[in-house]
């Protein structure tokens, strides 16, 4: 014990120096994290005022925050005596090894950059991407966050999104509603078309241009199929779709125009006895 106390007495200045350096390193980390969060928030506010898309803001903010915090870690290590040059070399070698084992994550990061650059979708748009349909919440470094119509939050890897077709339902202001209506072969085709037109004329959310289209589309086994294709504002698509389906069924019933179900006619032939 006396030897230990003697060693502490002899190296008191050195111990105090290391303690101070350690405390300074911790302060650098704390301050660095605070600065990273503050800069990311300021950057986000600035881009928001300029009307930058929310997906881009979240992506760039995450990158800026990470870069500043990594710089703070390197400064803290330098403060406690770690040679950052050699540490960076070791980190680079380790990064290469980790990169080989985390190719999927790096692919997701690269895909995130591509999404931000080419902007196939923006925050708030409804898309079908990576096999998931939903509204875009944000684009992160490794994944894109979508919210489905039934209020589920889905995290889709960015590489999965860029590796598959992307359908953006919100990019254009207008959409065409495609309805396929089957009627009986006994139905009067001219009257059926008039009934369908009357339903469209009563719907005030339909656009006059482009004009709607009603045509006989196919002669199926048990029905004559009409296509009904009006145009609407994208925000009205589903309400108009559901309302038209209901009103068309009601109008066809009122005019005694049947909507057939699959059926098969069986003909029986009685063979005469040979006796």
């Amino acid at each position: 014990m006396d030897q230990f106390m003697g060693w502490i007495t002899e190296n008191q200045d050195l111990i105090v120096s290391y303690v101070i350096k350690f405390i300074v390193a911790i302060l650098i980390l704390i301050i660095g994290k605070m600065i990273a969060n503050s800069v990311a928030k300021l950057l986000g506010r600035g881009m928001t005022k300029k009307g930058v898309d929310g997906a881009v803001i979240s992506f760039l903010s995450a990158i800026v925050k990470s870069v500043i915090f990594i710089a703070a870690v390197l400064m803290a290590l330098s403060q406690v005596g770690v040679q950052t040059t050699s540490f960076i070399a070791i980190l680079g070698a380790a990064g290469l090894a980790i990169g080989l084992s985390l190719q999927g994550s790096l692919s997701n990061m690269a895909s995130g950059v591509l999404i931000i650059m080419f902007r196939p979708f923006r925050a708030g748009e409804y898309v079908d991407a990576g096999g998931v349909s939903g509204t875009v919440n944000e684009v992160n470094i490794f994944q894109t966050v979508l919210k489905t119509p039934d209020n589920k939050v889905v995290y889709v890897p960015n590489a999965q999104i860029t590796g598959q077709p992307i359908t953006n339902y919100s990019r254009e202001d207008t959409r065409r509603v495609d309805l396929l209506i089957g009627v009986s072969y006994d139905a009067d085709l001219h009257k059926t078309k008039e009934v369908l037109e009357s339903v469209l004329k009563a719907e005030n959310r339909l656009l006059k241009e482009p004009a709607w289209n009603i045509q006989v589309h196919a002669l199926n086994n048990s029905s004559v199929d009409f296509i009904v294709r009006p145009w609407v504002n994208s925000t009205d698509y589903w309400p108009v779709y559901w309302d038209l389906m209901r009103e068309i069924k009601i109008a066809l019933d009122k005019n005694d125009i049947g909507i057939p179900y699959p059926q098969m006619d069986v003909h029986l032939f009685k063979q005469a006895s040979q006796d």
Side-chain angles (χ1 to χ4, degrees):
M1 187 66 181
D2 293 338
Q3 292 180 351
F4 178 71
M5 294 301 296
W7 181 85
I8 292 178
T9 304
E10 293 176 359
N11 298 278
Q12 184 176 0
D13 294 339
L14 181 63
I15 293 173
V16 171
S17 175
Y18 273 112
V19 170
I20 293 175
K21 289 181 179 180
F22 183 74
I23 294 174
V24 171
I26 293 177
L27 290 175
I28 289 175
L29 287 176
I30 295 174
I31 295 173
K33 187 175 181 180
M34 293 173 60
I35 293 175
N37 292 334
S38 299
V39 171
K41 288 181 181 179
L42 289 174
L43 180 64
R45 290 174 184 173
M47 289 190 292
T48 301
K49 290 181 180 179
K50 292 185 178 181
V52 179
D53 181 54
V56 177
I57 294 174
S58 61
F59 185 81
L60 294 180
S61 297
I63 291 179
V64 170
K65 186 187 297 184
S66 300
V67 170
I68 294 176
F69 186 71
I70 290 173
V73 171
L74 293 176
M75 291 176 62
L77 292 174
S78 176
Q79 184 65 33
V80 296
V82 177
Q83 295 295 326
T84 54
T85 53
S86 57
F87 179 78
I88 291 174
I90 296 173
L91 187 63
L96 178 61
I98 295 173
L100 293 175
S101 61
L102 297 177
Q103 294 183 23
S105 296
L106 294 177
S107 177
N108 288 329
M109 182 182 296
S111 297
V113 174
L114 292 176
I115 291 173
I116 293 302
M117 287 178 59
F118 295 105
R119 307 286 295 281
F121 48 74
R122 300 183 178 90
E125 292 183 334
Y126 188 84
V127 300
D128 185 352
V132 179
S133 297
T135 303
V136 180
N137 274 10
E138 57 181 334
V139 179
N140 294 327
I141 297 177
F142 298 108
Q143 69 269 330
T144 296
V145 183
L146 300 178
K147 181 176 286 188
T148 61
D150 56 348
N151 211 32
K152 295 176 183 176
V153 178
V154 183
Y155 296 83
V156 186
N158 289 331
Q160 182 174 328
I161 291 177
T162 56
Q164 297 183 23
I166 300 172
T167 303
N168 191 326
Y169 295 98
S170 303
R171 182 59 56 89
E172 299 296 333
D173 294 332
T174 61
R175 285 183 64 185
R176 190 181 71 188
V177 180
D178 288 353
L179 303 178
L180 186 64
I181 308 298
V183 298
S184 170
Y185 269 92
D186 296 332
D188 185 324
L189 299 186
H190 295 291
K191 181 179 179 181
T192 301
K193 186 173 182 179
E194 291 175 357
V195 171
L196 294 174
E197 286 183 340
S198 67
V199 173
L200 297 188
K201 290 177 181 178
E203 176 54 66
N204 55 17
R205 288 170 294 183
L206 301 185
L207 301 178
K208 294 182 179 180
E209 292 294 336
W212 63 60
N213 190 19
I214 302 175
Q215 299 293 340
V216 175
H217 180 66
L219 303 177
N220 284 325
N221 293 333
S222 57
S223 67
V224 179
D225 291 344
F226 279 80
I227 55 169
V228 181
R229 294 177 175 175
W231 287 81
V232 297
N233 293 319
S234 295
T235 54
D236 293 331
Y237 180 85
W238 284 112
V240 169
Y241 181 96
W242 294 322
D243 289 348
L244 284 180
M245 291 296 287
R246 182 187 67 251
E247 295 302 322
I248 286 175
K249 176 63 168 66
I250 294 173
L252 292 178
D253 289 344
K254 285 182 178 179
N255 289 272
D256 297 323
I257 299 174
I259 300 177
Y261 50 86
Q263 56 186 333
M264 179 183 295
D265 292 334
V266 179
H267 301 273
L268 300 177
F269 297 94
K270 183 177 180 180
Q271 186 175 3
S273 175
Q274 296 180 358
D275 293 340

